[in-house]
Amino acid sequence: MSIAQQKPRTRVRAPELTGREWLNTGGREVQLGELRGKVVLLDFWTFCCINCLHVIDELRPLEEEFGDELVVVGVHSPKFEHEADPDALAAAVERYAVRHPVLDDPELSTWRNYAVKAWPTLAVIDPEGYLVHVAAGEGHVEALRSVIGEIVAEHDEKGTLHRGDGPYVPPRTAATTLRFPAKAVSGPGTILVADSANHSLVEFAEDGETVLRRIGSGARGRADGEAQDASFAEPSGLAVLPKDVAAAAGYDLVVADTANHLLRGVRLADGAVTTIAGTGQQWRDGEDGGPALDIPLTSPWDVAWWEPAGGVVIAMAGNHTLGLFDPTGGKLRRLAGTTVEGLRDGAAPEAFFAQPSGLADGGERLWLADSETSALRWIEPDGDGFAVRTAVGRGLFDFGHADGPADGALFQHPLGVAALPDGSVAVCDTYNGAVRRYDPASDEVSTLATHLAEPSGATLVDGELVVVASAAHKLERPVPPGVSDRLIEGASQQVTRPATDVAPGSVELAVVFTPPPGSKLDERYGPSTRLEITASPAELLVEGAGTGTDLTRRLVLADDVEHGVLHVVAQAASCTDDPGVEHPTCHLTRQDWGVPVRVGGSGPDRLPLIMGGMDAGS
């Protein structure tokens, strides 16, 4: 257990909120001073980050429960260049139904003022303007409920709590047939599209414009039933099953129902929808194999039938893994990945992924868009198992738009892939607004089309590439027959997030975690905490890599590796501290950090990472 866990709450005056502009306020700037009397919850997020999207959903019940006392402010601090575009941010705020003010912080000025080190990070400010609680990652709802409840009671008694409406002003939204569609698949004479923000599926004729039917009521939900009554929550990936498998399973189409953390089956004859995998609860830890309806999923983003694996592969963006679902046996297991976010090839069980978001069946290879590493990767049979390889991509913090030999090519947060008839792969290079092409024969990357609005998926219709232009709310055919690809010189870019300076040699890494008020660490069945540390490159860590139960670890950093990334995964189990309760309420808090570090003589010899609580040393 870290000594930092025992530190009392520190009263620190909250810095002012500074940025480029405000959204969801009717165009008005908001000063922290005018929010005095309210509990203010800052949510530091970026719209590429799946954990950040989870937190937006987690905060919704708190916003409703404390509607008169709490003001949530989203502070958008971008990772990728595209996320610094104000129009792209405005689209993301609508796409993910953010119902609170958002500060656009493209220069990360407020991020720096609050000493934030990870997306997402939550900071609570009391009605007198003091920063009283910080937590990184997701899964903090119960802790926040306790903290906010205590603050409300304290300041209600002091007379410093002011109830009433906050500064939120709902934006106007346009009505379009599709709203932020995600993926598409072709069927006999039709194109099926996941209409994400309309929480439904749309079946078009092959022209991509004539609507044949809509599957789903359009209301956000998780109801099974007939086409007009069923509901989804931000559906994304779609996979058509082979006919013999579909006949045995009783449905033809598998849908990644992303925000519901479910897989749904659709019988195309009548549009009936059933739940086929997932519990509806988000995976935090524990079992990853067994009856599919008993296994929690976490933001399944895409699905693809892949014959070498004998099932539907799931791009599990929420925990950086690939799952495998057997439609006829009703079983689900992990196929690849460890849940550590990063880029590491090799045997499937030891590979690292970073929000896998797009899949395409290429025969012996299953192609994969690994969005947070801006990478194109594949998985293939290897002996008795499978292996993961990388065609294009360098790591978590390198991206750009550059063509040419694959080892120098760059993407920017790609979300979709499609296998082309000639054996090459089309990549929906989402944040570059482009469709790119990787040719395995020449090991080179080129550009097929540009000036697309966040292309997120693609499918072939009679040999022609049909692209889901998500932010344009439509399907496009940007590569007419006979148009060849071209080379773009492009440039390399890196995340603007500042690297953390650390001293070479011995460094103490301390994960700070304070159980929620009224709770204690759950040590009934052994250690309640777990810490896993790896590095990219691996040579960065001379000592300290591996897994243990102490939240403080002595690391020894190489003095001949100037830059790198520390991959840190921490979790802590806590339960309500009431001896009179036979079955206490328990929660598992989990967070992973990819911490870019710069090793230098002037760096500190202590690196605190706040998972929950406050740390005077941070």
Side-chain angles (χ1 to χ4, degrees), residues 341-377:
E341 184 180 23
L343 192 155
R344 185 170 78 182
D345 290 344
E350 282 78 48
F352 290 175
F353 300 98
Q355 285 181 218
S357 301
L359 300 170
D361 178 7
E364 283 298 298
R365 290 181 176 182
L366 180 74
W367 294 100
L368 163 71
D370 206 22
S371 62
E372 280 294 282
T373 53
S374 297
L376 172 65
R377 308 176 72 184

Side-chain angles (χ1 to χ4, degrees), residues 552-569:
T552 297
R553 177 109 32 106
R554 174 182 171 272
L555 309 180
V556 177
L557 304 180
D559 57 10
D560 58 348
V561 179
E562 184 178 354
H563 297 277
V565 178
L566 292 176
H567 304 282
V568 182
V569 180

Side-chain angles (χ1 to χ4, degrees), residues 358-612:
L359 300 170
D361 178 7
E364 283 298 298
R365 290 181 176 182
L366 180 74
W367 294 100
L368 163 71
D370 206 22
S371 62
E372 280 294 282
T373 53
S374 297
L376 172 65
R377 308 176 72 184
W378 77 86
I379 184 169
E380 63 185 1
D382 182 40
D384 295 333
F386 297 92
V388 177
R389 313 291 184 207
T390 298
V392 178
R394 300 178 186 175
L396 284 167
F397 302 106
D398 294 277
F399 59 92
H401 188 157
D403 289 330
D407 60 1
L410 293 166
F411 301 131
Q412 185 181 180
H413 198 78
L415 290 177
V417 284
L420 300 177
D422 65 356
S424 65
V425 185
V427 179
C428 293
D429 192 7
T430 309
Y431 287 2
N432 278 325
V435 176
R436 314 284 292 284
R437 176 177 177 266
Y438 170 69
D439 183 0
S442 64
D443 196 32
E444 291 189 336
V445 174
S446 53
T447 297
L448 289 169
T450 56
H451 304 296
L452 297 169
E454 295 191 8
S456 60
T459 188
L460 290 171
V461 178
D462 289 336
E464 185 177 12
L465 194 66
V466 176
V467 175
V468 180
S470 186
H473 317 294
K474 63 182 180 180
L475 302 179
E476 294 197 18
R477 301 172 190 253
V479 190
V483 172
S484 61
D485 47 358
R486 54 209 166 99
L487 296 179
I488 291 180
E489 183 176 348
S492 174
Q493 299 164 346
Q494 287 192 320
V495 174
T496 56
R497 170 185 172 184
T500 299
D501 289 315
V502 291
S506 181
V507 174
E508 180 191 66
L509 186 144
V511 174
V512 180
F513 177 74
T514 303
S519 300
K520 64 178 181 180
L521 290 172
D522 179 15
E523 297 178 336
R524 294 171 297 166
Y525 310 108
S528 59
T529 57
R530 181 177 182 273
L531 179 63
E532 180 180 356
I533 301 177
T534 54
S536 299
E539 296 77 22
L540 174 66
L541 272 181
V542 178
E543 294 180 24
T547 302
T549 58
D550 197 324
L551 290 183
T552 297
R553 177 109 32 106
R554 174 182 171 272
L555 309 180
V556 177
L557 304 180
D559 57 10
D560 58 348
V561 179
E562 184 178 354
H563 297 277
V565 178
L566 292 176
H567 304 282
V568 182
V569 180
Q571 63 185 46
S574 57
C575 294
T576 50
D577 186 12
D578 186 346
V581 176
E582 182 179 358
H583 301 291
T585 302
C586 298
H587 303 280
L588 181 71
T589 303
R590 177 188 171 95
Q591 166 64 357
D592 56 83
W593 291 267
V595 183
V597 296
R598 180 172 52 241
V599 183
S602 60
D605 60 4
R606 182 175 182 269
L607 178 58
L609 299 173
I610 300 177
M611 187 163 67

